[in-house]
Amino acid sequence: MDFSAANTCLWSPMIQIGIIAGLILFANVLRRKVKFIKSTLMPTAVLAGFILLFLRSTNMIKINAVYLEVITYHAIALGFIALALRVPEKNGPAVGIHPSKNGALIVSTYLVQAIVGLMISLILAYTIMPNFFKASGILLPMAYGQGPGQSNNVGTTYEALGMTGGRSFGLSLAAAGYLCACIVGVVYLNILNRKGKLQRVYDKEMLSGSITVDTFQDENEMPIAESVDRLSVQAALVGLIYLLTYLFTYGITSLLEVVAPGLANMVGTLLWGFNFIVGSLIATLCRMLFKNLRKANVMTHQYQNNYLLNRISGLAFDFMIVAGIASIDISDLSGYWVPFLLMVIIGAVVTFSYLLYMCKKLYPGYVYEGFFSMFGMLTGTISSGVLLLREIDPDLKTPASNNLISGSSFGIAFGFPVLLLVSFAAQNDLTVLITIVLAAIYLVALLAFMLTKSRKKSAK
């Protein structure tokens, strides 16, 4: 085997990982030392992604776009599997409203964004842009609500269905969502600060990483002095579950191709595109299995370590964000600037207004903490939600941080119909209209669920 630089298959992946790693470190230095960048609250990975996008677009750095897509696709699944494997904490942050209502709020925001996005794409398609892909508006909740991983997957799926540049369009919306979370969030924080409605925390360095600081070793956890490194065990668990995810998805899609070929195309695209959900469900089942085995004394140690699993998920998500943003092809947006700007601006205004109204209804004791955490997550990611929250609640004393965790878990169940609408909307013109109607009906149902229960609680 040739170990020299001539063997590009050997060295190219490692060189590109090294470039991403170096830019993450450089962005971290900028964020810590440059006051303007620090005040924007822009996550380090987002800043690194924009730097790499600029360097790649100007041909200052040659990096394989396909390899960036591969990192984005696999990293989101690995990150969610690591999160799903974590053992639930006995004493977490303060508990607020029922987790199901947090999940309903998250998914209802997706629906609001979907309705707005689809209406924009339909109006443009029937007026000034007759060749515009009518279902492209549903990329707005995938980008704002889900982030670059999901917008990458859906955009790629829509490209296969006829939307030229769909992947770059979705990733560009996700990148704009980060900017919206950071810029709009910080501006509104400062406005409220000047009015005396809240106080920003300037003199504390914000903690990085997960929402809670995990104990390094729980009770009955595998001892440090083992023949295998504890990090290796966590990585092995994540890797094994990802293998099971692949085998399960491959088995289901292969079976459908034989039994129901017509259904196989839609369901197969959905399963492969949202493989991180399948991986999360399998990881959750495995976590429950481990718990029952420990209760039956078949398994004597707890092999999951929350601290290390959080580090694995953090690593995966950081690389996913950098690769996702950097893989945007600016040239693909050449014909999409009008819908892009309309969705970015109108989507931000509607999301801001809807969440502010709903947070006043659902979180009367901590309106602004609840709003900034949800707004940051539903335009960027959970990390940007936590960054905004820590500006006014650095010690996470309010239930807002717990709402993000519990809401995300219930959001998977509530959000499954939304994922079905993603594939359904792209079938033809009629299905786009039906999708808007179905999304509106589902939105009304979620609003009734959230607000009716809230009024009953207030009456008591």
Side-chain angles (χ1 to χ4, degrees):
M1 182 177 179
D2 181 12
F3 297 105
S4 69
N7 190 343
T8 56
C9 293
L10 174 66
W11 283 107
S12 181
M14 300 309 299
I15 290 172
Q16 293 178 85
I17 288 175
I19 291 172
I20 294 174
L23 287 174
I24 289 175
L25 295 175
F26 176 65
N28 187 58
V29 172
L30 290 178
R31 192 179 183 280
R32 288 179 56 84
K33 300 300 182 182
V34 180
K35 187 175 181 180
F36 168 75
I37 295 177
K38 184 177 180 180
S39 65
T40 64
L41 300 184
M42 183 180 293
T44 298
V46 176
L47 179 59
F50 281 121
I51 293 173
L52 184 54
L53 174 62
F54 171 77
L55 295 175
R56 178 171 167 265
S57 299
T58 55
N59 292 321
M60 297 175 68
I61 286 183
K62 298 289 185 181
I63 194 163
N64 191 326
V66 175
Y67 186 68
L68 292 175
E69 294 176 27
V70 170
I71 292 176
T72 305
Y73 177 76
H74 289 305
I76 187 174
L78 295 172
F80 273 98
I81 288 172
L83 288 178
L85 277 173
R86 296 180 306 173
V87 179
E89 297 180 15
K90 296 178 181 178
N91 298 312
V95 178
I97 63 174
H98 194 275
S100 60
K101 295 177 73 175
N102 295 317
L105 176 61
I106 292 171
V107 175
S108 68
T109 308
Y110 295 165
L111 293 169
V112 170
Q113 293 169 339
I115 293 170
V116 170
L118 286 172
M119 289 181 67
I120 292 173
S121 60
L122 272 181
I123 291 172
L124 290 175
Y126 283 112
T127 54
I128 61 174
M129 298 180 66
N131 295 323
F132 189 53
F133 195 72
K134 297 180 180 64
S136 62
I138 211 166
L139 284 169
L140 180 60
M142 296 297 104
Y144 270 30
Q146 293 284 314
Q150 200 71 297
S151 56
N152 173 78
N153 294 348
V154 178
T156 302
T157 301
Y158 277 12
E159 275 193 0
L161 295 174
M163 182 182 178
T164 305
R167 182 179 167 278
S168 291
F169 185 75
L171 285 170
S172 299
L173 286 174
Y178 280 116
L179 292 177
C180 174
C182 297
I183 296 174
V184 176
V186 172
V187 169
Y188 190 53
L189 272 171
N190 287 323
I191 290 173
L192 294 175
N193 185 51
R194 292 192 190 98
K195 291 182 176 180
K197 293 185 177 181
L198 53 79
Q199 185 175 1
R200 283 190 65 183
V201 181
Y202 293 95
D203 57 347
K204 287 188 178 182
E205 178 65 28
M206 297 296 105
L207 297 174
S208 61
S210 60
I211 291 177
T212 57
V213 180
D214 305 293
T215 55
F216 185 70
Q217 174 142 350
D218 291 328
E219 186 180 357
N220 295 326
E221 194 172 325
M222 62 174 290
I224 297 176
E226 280 278 354
S227 58
V228 60
D229 188 85
R230 188 183 296 178
L231 178 60
S232 300
V233 173
Q234 312 309 309
L237 287 172
V238 173
L240 176 61
I241 290 173
Y242 199 31
L243 174 62
L244 294 176
T245 302
Y246 169 80
L247 294 176
F248 175 82
T249 306
Y250 179 76
I252 292 295
T253 52
S254 298
L255 180 63
L256 284 174
E257 287 175 0
V258 175
V259 177
L263 184 65
N265 185 38
M266 185 179 74
V267 175
T269 301
L270 195 66
L271 287 175
W272 288 114
F274 300 109
N275 69 327
F276 76 96
I277 293 180
V278 178
S280 297
L281 293 175
I282 294 176
T284 301
L285 292 175
C286 289
R287 188 191 72 211
M288 295 169 63
L289 174 63
F290 296 156
K291 180 180 179 180
N292 290 328
L293 289 175
R294 288 198 305 273
K295 284 184 177 179
N297 293 322
V298 176
M299 183 183 290
T300 56
H301 293 308
Q302 174 186 305
Y303 285 91
Q304 306 106 293
N305 180 279
N306 286 0
Y307 176 83
L308 294 176
L309 287 172
N310 270 334
R311 303 288 70 77
I312 291 174
S313 66
L315 172 67
F317 288 149
D318 281 341
F319 270 75
M320 176 204 73
I321 291 168
V322 176
I325 294 175
S327 63
I328 297 172
D329 190 345
I330 302 297
S331 62
D332 285 345
L333 291 177
S334 58
Y336 290 148
W337 285 111
V338 172
F340 172 75
L341 292 174
L342 286 175
M343 288 186 193
V344 167
I345 297 171
I346 298 176
V349 172
V350 171
T351 302
F352 182 96
S353 303
Y354 174 75
L355 285 175
L356 187 58
Y357 173 80
M358 290 302 299
C359 287
K360 288 178 180 179
K361 297 289 185 181
L362 297 177
Y363 310 132
Y366 52 103
V367 173
Y368 293 118
E369 288 85 355
F371 167 75
F372 282 111
S373 58
M374 285 293 178
F375 178 76
M377 182 176 73
L378 291 169
T379 50
T381 61
I382 193 169
S383 62
S384 51
V386 175
L387 284 169
L388 287 174
L389 173 62
R390 279 183 167 148
E391 282 290 295
I392 55 176
D393 183 18
D395 298 321
L396 304 180
K397 293 180 180 179
T398 66
S401 61
N402 190 69
N403 291 345
L404 297 179
I405 303 172
S406 61
S408 298
S409 301
F410 274 85
I412 294 176
F414 282 122
F416 187 73
V418 179
L419 299 182
L420 294 177
L421 292 177
V422 171
S423 293
F424 179 72
Q427 302 303 311
N428 52 58
D429 293 3
L430 179 60
T431 56
V432 177
L433 294 171
I434 295 175
T435 298
I436 294 177
V437 174
L438 292 176
I441 294 171
Y442 191 26
L443 174 60
V444 171
L446 291 178
L447 286 172
F449 168 71
M450 290 184 286
L451 298 179
T452 302
K453 292 192 74 174
S454 178
R455 287 169 186 165
K456 287 182 180 179
K457 186 176 180 180
S458 298
K460 291 181 181 179

